[in-house]
Amino acid sequence: MPGIDKLPIEETLEDSPQTRSLLGVFEEDATAISNYMNQLYQAMHRIYDAQNELSAATHLTSKLLKEYEKQRFPLGGDDEVMSSTLQQFSKVIDELSSCHAVLSTQLADAMMFPITQFKERDLKEILTLKEVFQIASNDHDAAINRYSRLSKKRENDKVKYEVTEDVYTSRKKQHQTMMHYFCALNTLQYKKKIALLEPLLGYMQAQISFFKMGSENLNDQLEEFLTNIGTSVQNVRREMDSDVETMQQTIEDLEVASDPLYVPDPDPTKFPVNRNLTRKAGYLNARNKTGLVSSTWDRQFYFTQGGNLMSQARGDVAGGLAMDIDNCSVMAVDCEDRRYCFQITSFDGKKSSILQAESKKDHEEWICTINNISKQIYLTENPEEIAARVNQSALEAVTPSPSFQQRHESLRPAGQSRPLTARTSSSGSIASESTNLAALSLDSLVAPDTPIQFDIISPVCEDQPGQAKASGQGGRRTNPFGESGGGTRSETEDSILHQLFIVRFLGSMEVKSDDNPDVVYETMRQILAARAIHNIFRMTESHLLVSCDCLKLIDPQTQVTRLMFPLPSVVLYATHQENKRLFGFVLRTSGGRSESNLSSVCYIFESNNEGEKICDSVGLAKQIALHAELLYSSGLQDRRASEKQKEIERVKEKQQKELSKQKQIEKDLEEQSRLIAASSRPNQASSEGQFVVLSSSQSEESDLGEEGKKRESEA
């Protein structure tokens, strides 16, 4: 190394301007060294902090890799190969973490300690000596200045001694301080080189030691392991690229195929309705009542699961039970001027839901699916095959005639407007014909070319002649406010039996026979098959009131009586042999298609699993009515006998009164005779030509007495 510049310590007492100038150069050099060493210290401290952070991060990474097998991932949580691989990595990284911890310790001892010592001790010593030297120099200048101002004329020994002593002390202090200051500045030139080289040497030795430990840990076995892992990563990357390419192709194909499905109501000719489904899922709008007349519609995802209808809101993990649809009923309804609405009613009628589909296709598929589930087709081995077979048999059961519309229009009254055939809510009729296999039974039970009525005529309209006769109202206009006449109301209130059932009207048609339950079964088959072939799903829900006088269909909303069937006219009633929710009855009326003869009309209904109960109630009502009639006839005879007995008693009482009155009259006559005899004794006269004159009241009483005697003798 070249020679080191030094300050001349021997010239400190002289304190010449050249010495002061040279001191300024050394002070400037010390300031530059201090600034540079502060920057170098910050850089090395960052290395040390980074190494500590790297050591802590490596240790944390090793810890997390060890805890991988304890994690529970929703997808692929039980990958044993990945767990064992990460365990191997965690061991290697843990060893590296130990090496990094050793490196951090070596950097703290060999790099940070020397430069920190130089910064905190040597540089601060220079600054302290500089301040002390500056103070001593100022004190010396002040003492010399006072010594120079001593008066030559008025010398004072005491003052002179004090000033001289002050100069001595300050000069000595300045000289000593200046020598130590010069020594520290000269020493700083050596310490500067040491402070620069020693931390770098320690850093390099620590890194070499770290690399040696790493080379010992990274052996050939680890290199083979890393090679295998690299190969696995490349395989996974190739598999990922292939899968991404496949997904991109699938996305393109789906975009092309799904383009027509973006329309909310797709063309039914391109996407036909599947009526054989036993499972379906999709979004529906559910109606929720919030008040007496207000309601809200919530969009939720619905799906069928066995015999249950489930609902699931967006964001929910699993769905919840919305309704049990085993043995339920479903029908299309009009609700709040919304399209594609349908109502599901549970088997007991206690719960119902109104849902809205997005399209006509979804609307019909949901209704068909729920109908199939309600029939418990999903419990069979091949539910879709069974559903297809059932629907096919329904389609084959009724073959619509080509001239059906003309016959239908000819059967309608002339003044009635022609409804649209596509509307299921109209009161129109659809002709039904049987197949060749059932022609014989159909002709014997159901009149040929018989129209089917699928809905109930509105109660605010005038009843048609056929309907008036069928309901026993004789053409009377139904009160639109649900009020009936006093006589009818009193009869209903006085009835012993009152039972109310929830029913849905399926249809009615004229039949040829009313003495065999087969006519009800055949009518059910005809009406259900006609509904299936013409896609009629809507059913009018009503309350059926069974009493001892009649059967009433009441509107559940307005309580208006839609139809009334006199109980004596109900001649036959039966439930379906398999589906106990279906029941029907035959009403015998006058007129109909042939005005000269009696006609029979069969009405078919669907109930909430109460068909047998309703038939039992009708039978009970008829028994009560018959018993009441018998009691009435016997009571009438008893009343007549009692009235006759009362009349006889009244006659006897009247006769007794007349007899007592006659006796009183006779007694009065005897008294009068005695009086007359007593008065006629003084004047004895001849009895010839003489008579007793009675008053008019006495003559009337005598006449009454004679009449009473005659009546008594006659009795």
Side-chain angles (χ1 to χ4, degrees):
M1 285 187 179
I4 298 176
D5 296 327
K6 296 180 182 179
L7 284 170
I9 298 176
E10 59 274 6
E11 296 179 2
T12 55
L13 182 60
E14 183 179 358
D15 194 16
S16 63
Q18 290 80 6
T19 304
R20 285 292 183 111
S21 177
L22 186 59
L23 176 62
V25 174
F26 272 79
E27 288 179 346
E28 185 177 354
D29 182 70
T31 303
I33 290 174
S34 176
N35 293 334
Y36 178 77
M37 293 304 293
N38 284 330
Q39 295 178 7
L40 184 61
Y41 172 81
Q42 292 177 0
M44 290 185 174
H45 200 279
R46 289 181 62 184
I47 294 175
Y48 176 70
D49 291 340
Q51 184 59 41
N52 287 334
E53 182 65 24
L54 179 60
S55 177
T58 307
H59 178 70
L60 180 61
T61 302
S62 175
K63 181 180 178 182
L64 291 175
L65 292 178
K66 290 180 180 178
E67 295 177 353
Y68 176 82
E69 60 181 1
K70 299 179 182 179
Q71 303 298 318
R72 295 293 180 264
F73 297 101
L75 299 176
D78 296 333
D79 191 351
E80 296 181 358
V81 176
M82 179 63 71
S83 299
S84 61
T85 303
L86 293 181
Q87 288 295 323
Q88 185 67 24
F89 268 114
S90 67
K91 293 179 181 178
V92 176
I93 294 176
D94 194 19
E95 294 177 358
L96 292 177
S97 175
S98 302
C99 295
H100 282 293
V102 174
L103 178 60
S104 298
T105 305
Q106 291 178 349
L107 290 178
D109 296 337
M111 181 182 70
M112 294 306 300
F113 181 74
I115 195 171
T116 302
Q117 287 290 97
F118 177 75
K119 178 177 176 292
E120 297 295 333
R121 186 182 64 183
D122 298 333
L123 291 180
K124 283 187 177 181
E125 182 184 3
I126 296 296
L127 292 176
T128 303
L129 289 174
K130 181 179 180 180
E131 293 176 0
V132 173
F133 169 71
Q134 191 66 35
I135 293 172
S137 177
N138 293 334
D139 292 344
H140 178 260
D141 292 340
I144 292 296
N145 192 13
R146 287 196 300 271
Y147 180 77
S148 299
R149 290 200 306 267
L150 287 175
S151 176
K152 183 176 64 173
K153 297 179 180 180
R154 295 179 298 176
E155 290 185 359
N156 189 340
D157 294 338
K158 184 178 180 180
V159 173
K160 183 178 180 181
Y161 175 77
E162 291 178 356
V163 171
T164 302
E165 188 67 25
D166 190 13
V167 171
Y168 173 79
T169 304
S170 60
R171 181 171 290 176
K172 181 180 179 180
K173 183 178 179 181
Q174 178 188 1
H175 184 236
Q176 292 176 350
T177 304
M178 196 171 183
M179 287 189 297
H180 288 288
Y181 185 38
F182 278 23
C183 180
L185 289 175
N186 291 336
T187 307
L188 182 64
Q189 300 303 315
Y190 295 97
K191 291 181 178 181
K192 174 182 69 173
K193 296 179 179 181
I194 296 172
L196 285 173
L197 296 177
E198 190 174 6
L200 295 177
L201 180 61
Y203 173 75
M204 295 305 298
Q205 289 177 348
Q207 292 293 342
I208 291 172
S209 176
F210 173 74
F211 290 140
K212 286 182 178 180
M213 288 188 294
S215 63
E216 293 176 357
N217 293 328
L218 299 176
N219 49 23
D220 296 338
Q221 184 178 1
L222 182 60
E223 290 181 1
E224 183 180 357
F225 170 73
L226 295 177
T227 303
N228 294 333
I229 296 301
T231 304
S232 299
V233 170
Q234 294 299 325
N235 293 334
V236 172
R237 188 178 297 277
R238 283 194 297 270
E239 185 178 354
M240 181 189 67
D241 294 339
S242 176
D243 198 7
V244 168
E245 184 179 356
T246 303
M247 288 189 292
Q248 291 294 337
Q249 184 63 37
T250 303
I251 290 173
E252 294 177 1
D253 296 340
L254 288 176
E255 286 179 351
V256 175
S258 303
D259 187 67
L261 297 178
Y262 297 149
V263 181
D265 197 358
D267 188 1
T269 59
K270 296 181 179 179
F271 301 94
V273 178
N274 187 357
R275 305 182 185 279
N276 306 327
L277 297 175
T278 56
R279 291 183 299 174
K280 187 168 177 61
Y283 280 96
L284 296 172
N285 293 327
R287 180 174 179 264
N288 298 319
K289 294 195 70 175
T290 57
L292 188 61
V293 295
S294 60
S295 60
T296 59
W297 293 82
D298 296 332
R299 179 178 169 85
Q300 289 188 352
F301 186 81
Y302 284 83
F303 60 95
T304 61
Q305 190 175 63
N308 298 325
L309 179 65
M310 313 292 288
S311 65
Q312 184 176 1
R314 184 171 294 175
D316 290 349
V317 178
L321 177 63
M323 182 179 292
D324 182 5
I325 55 178
D326 267 341
N327 297 321
C328 75
S329 61
V330 58
M331 61 180 177
V333 294
D334 294 331
C335 186
E336 298 183 4
D337 197 22
R338 285 182 174 242
R339 302 184 302 166
Y340 311 133
C341 293
F342 59 95
Q343 180 176 354
I344 308 173
T345 306
S346 61
F347 70 96
D348 55 0
K350 295 181 180 179
K351 185 176 182 181
S352 63
S353 297
I354 296 179
L355 305 173
Q356 181 190 18
E358 290 185 357
S359 63
K360 183 178 180 181
K361 176 178 177 294
D362 283 346
H363 178 256
E364 295 185 7
E365 284 186 351
W366 271 108
I367 292 178
C368 293
T369 303
I370 294 174
N371 268 327
N372 294 335
I373 295 175
S374 176
K375 298 173 185 176
Q376 298 184 348
I377 297 177
Y378 68 93
L379 297 176
T380 59
E381 293 182 359
N382 298 317
E384 293 193 1
E385 280 187 23
I386 300 298
R389 196 179 307 161
V390 171
N391 292 329
Q392 185 64 27
S393 62
L395 292 175
E396 293 174 354
V398 174
T399 304
S401 174
S403 60
F404 161 73
Q405 187 65 29
Q406 289 81 356
R407 293 202 310 274
H408 172 58
E409 291 298 326
S410 65
L411 292 172
R412 294 178 59 85
Q416 190 174 357
S417 60
R418 178 179 180 180
L420 294 175
T421 58
R423 290 177 58 91
T424 61
S425 60
S426 65
S427 301
S429 302
I430 298 177
S432 65
E433 296 181 358
S434 67
T435 59
N436 295 330
L437 296 176
L440 182 60
S441 62
L442 178 60
D443 291 340
S444 62
L445 298 176
V446 181
D449 300 336
T450 302
I452 300 176
Q453 181 172 311
F454 290 111
D455 207 344
I456 302 175
I457 299 177
S458 175
V460 299
C461 302
E462 291 290 346
D463 293 339
Q464 301 299 332
Q467 181 189 357
K469 294 176 183 179
S471 61
Q473 294 177 354
R476 180 187 173 193
R477 181 183 178 90
T478 305
N479 193 338
F481 297 100
E483 299 174 357
S484 58
T488 305
R489 182 174 179 180
S490 62
E491 290 176 2
T492 305
E493 290 179 352
D494 294 340
S495 178
I496 299 175
L497 180 66
H498 280 88
Q499 287 192 346
L500 197 66
F501 302 94
I502 298 175
V503 298
R504 286 167 290 280
F505 182 68
L506 294 176
S508 64
M509 61 187 298
E510 188 175 347
V511 295
K512 297 175 65 176
S513 173
D514 57 7
D515 56 355
N516 191 349
D518 291 339
V519 69
V520 179
Y521 306 149
E522 180 64 24
T523 305
M524 289 179 181
R525 190 188 69 81
Q526 290 288 321
I527 290 177
L528 292 177
R531 278 182 170 269
I533 194 67
H534 295 287
N535 297 331
I536 300 175
F537 301 106
R538 176 173 177 171
M539 295 180 287
T540 304
E541 185 169 289
S542 304
H543 288 171
L544 177 64
L545 177 63
V546 180
S547 65
C548 298
D549 304 320
C550 61
L551 306 180
K552 282 186 179 181
L553 284 180
I554 302 174
D555 190 327
Q557 301 293 332
T558 61
Q559 301 302 313
V560 173
T561 300
R562 290 173 170 168
L563 286 177
M564 185 175 68
F565 309 101
L567 194 61
S569 300
V570 179
V571 296
L572 183 64
Y573 46 89
T575 59
H576 195 275
Q577 294 173 330
E578 296 179 357
N579 189 355
K580 299 303 180 182
R581 294 182 296 141
L582 300 179
F583 75 97
F585 58 83
V586 178
L587 192 74
R588 183 183 295 170
T589 60
S590 61
R593 302 179 68 185
S594 177
E595 294 293 337
S596 60
N597 300 322
L598 293 176
S599 64
S600 299
V601 180
C602 185
Y603 293 84
I604 305 301
F605 297 88
E606 181 189 33
S607 65
N608 297 327
N609 206 16
E610 296 176 343
E612 291 183 349
K613 189 183 294 185
I614 295 175
C615 290
D616 293 341
S617 298
V618 175
L620 179 61
K622 291 183 73 67
Q623 291 178 5
I624 293 175
L626 179 60
H627 185 63
E629 186 176 356
L630 294 176
L631 289 177
Y632 176 76
S633 60
S634 63
L636 184 60
Q637 294 177 359
D638 293 341
R639 282 197 302 271
R640 288 177 180 176
S642 63
E643 288 177 359
K644 187 175 181 180
Q645 184 66 28
K646 289 180 181 178
E647 182 68 23
I648 293 173
E649 291 177 357
R650 283 197 300 269
V651 170
K652 288 182 177 181
E653 185 179 357
K654 188 175 181 181
Q655 289 177 355
Q656 291 293 334
K657 289 182 179 179
E658 291 178 353
L659 184 59
S660 61
K661 189 182 293 185
Q662 183 66 28
K663 290 180 179 181
Q664 183 66 32
I665 292 173
E666 290 177 354
K667 190 182 290 185
D668 293 341
L669 288 174
E670 290 177 358
E671 185 67 26
Q672 289 180 2
S673 298
R674 285 195 299 269
L675 292 175
I676 293 172
S679 62
S680 62
R681 282 177 186 172
N683 299 318
Q684 292 290 333
S686 176
S687 59
E688 297 180 357
Q690 295 182 358
F691 54 88
V692 180
V693 180
L694 298 177
S695 64
S696 61
S697 61
Q698 291 175 347
S699 63
E700 290 175 358
E701 289 176 355
S702 63
D703 294 339
L704 289 173
E706 292 177 356
E707 291 178 0
K709 288 180 180 180
K710 290 180 180 180
R711 290 178 181 175
E712 185 176 0
S713 61
E714 291 177 357

